[in-house]
Amino acid sequence: MQRLARNGGTAELLRWLSGRADGWAGIAGSDGTVLSASGTVAPDAPQPPDVPRLVADGVRALAERGALAYSHDTGAHTALLFPLYADDRGAAPLLAVVTPRPVAAGLATLLADVLMPLSLCWETEAVERKRRRVDLAESRSREAVLHLLMTGQLSIARQVAGALRPRLPDPVRVCVVECPGGSRDEVARVCAEADGGRSWVVRCPVYARHLILVMPAEETPEGTATDEAVAALVDHCVVGVSEQVPLADTATGYRQAFHALAVAREHPARHVRFGLTPEPALVVGSAGRQWAEALLTPLLTHVPRRAQDPGSQELAATAASWLAFSSHATGHLKVHRNTLAARLKLIGELLGLDLHRLADQSALDLALRIRATPAPVCTPDPGEPTRTDTGGAAAPALSRIHIRRSRRRH
């Protein structure tokens, strides 16, 4: 019993017990519901017993009588029930066994002996199930915070992140770690230990092997960068890191880190930081901002006809997610692929763009990046003539700049 408990837990103990009883063994809840079971009871018999009903009736009888054990003969079979452990609320699960008559000699003693290891296994597995639910809830919360940061909703992201640790840093570097297969949880632990838990670690909702780290821009007190430490500690992982960006520009940092990751796959050190070349959104000037504003105005001012239809903010977030993740945006946005297709069709109609064309995708991507980038504060040179270019005239040139830069990065 101890060996089975260590190696297989509740399932192995029940399988072994059903074999010893030559019948059915299971665990039932305090309401009579079968929670786990193994074995069968004479399925080829003329009148096989209804095991779930038999167990439910036994649980009710045991509760009504306040007994510590229960036995019930049904003619060809006997049902035996024992509470796994004492519970003042009467909510303890029960071990239930249905065995052919006559009951094998020593079976009742065997059931009494198995209660202790079975109880320990059941409680341990219950704690593990609760831990997994807590981990899942925390993972989804972190994913939600990352989504809010990627869509520029900084104040809401801070509010949601307030109950978790660590606090969101500002400014940040965004790091994307590509983990060896099946090791993402272990790599997440290594990442947290490498910088003393200062980074915001999120399991990527789109790519199953990616971890996203929102790290403080300053180095660790030990002087070793977290991304370099992770690349050195984990074999076969690949790391891409962005430049230092404000927390509000997390989406830009993610794009930079993703580009760096593509280069790092071919780099011997498996670690690359994004270069210092200015982003197109930073160099387009006022003409570029006018063009982006003119292009996006129909989208940003869109008012849905029905309350359940997506508004302008949701459509803009959909466009940004699709440009970043392509068809995988369904996993990022948690929507059906038909919903994504319908939103993209609406976005294309509002903006007058064909989103199947690379040039139109590039124009929309650049416009969204310009809008997400804070306008530089600068004083015009008195000796410089005033520019009168319109945003529309700048659009083709801006699209060509973006396409050339994208090709060079990839």
Side-chain angles (χ1 to χ4, degrees), residues 5 102 182 234 266 271 282 307 357 384 406:
V234 183
E266 307 300 327
H271 168 270
L282 296 175
R357 297 179 64 246
E384 182 180 353
S406 296

Side-chain angles (χ1 to χ4, degrees), residues 2-88:
Q2 293 176 0
R3 178 177 56 81
L4 292 173
R6 288 195 306 269
N7 298 332
T10 300
E12 280 299 305
L13 280 171
L14 290 177
R15 183 190 60 78
W16 172 79
L17 195 57
S18 65
R20 293 293 297 268
D22 193 23
W24 179 94
I27 294 178
S30 58
D31 59 351
T33 304
V34 175
L35 304 176
S36 181
S38 179
T40 57
V41 180
D44 53 348
Q47 291 184 337
D50 184 351
V51 172
R53 183 187 61 80
L54 192 61
V55 171
D57 292 343
V59 170
R60 279 196 300 272
L62 189 65
E64 291 171 358
R65 300 176 186 180
L68 297 179
Y70 177 78
S71 175
H72 176 62
D73 294 330
T74 64
H77 297 84
T78 297
L80 303 167
L81 282 86
F82 297 84
L84 284 186
Y85 46 81
D87 191 326
D88 295 338

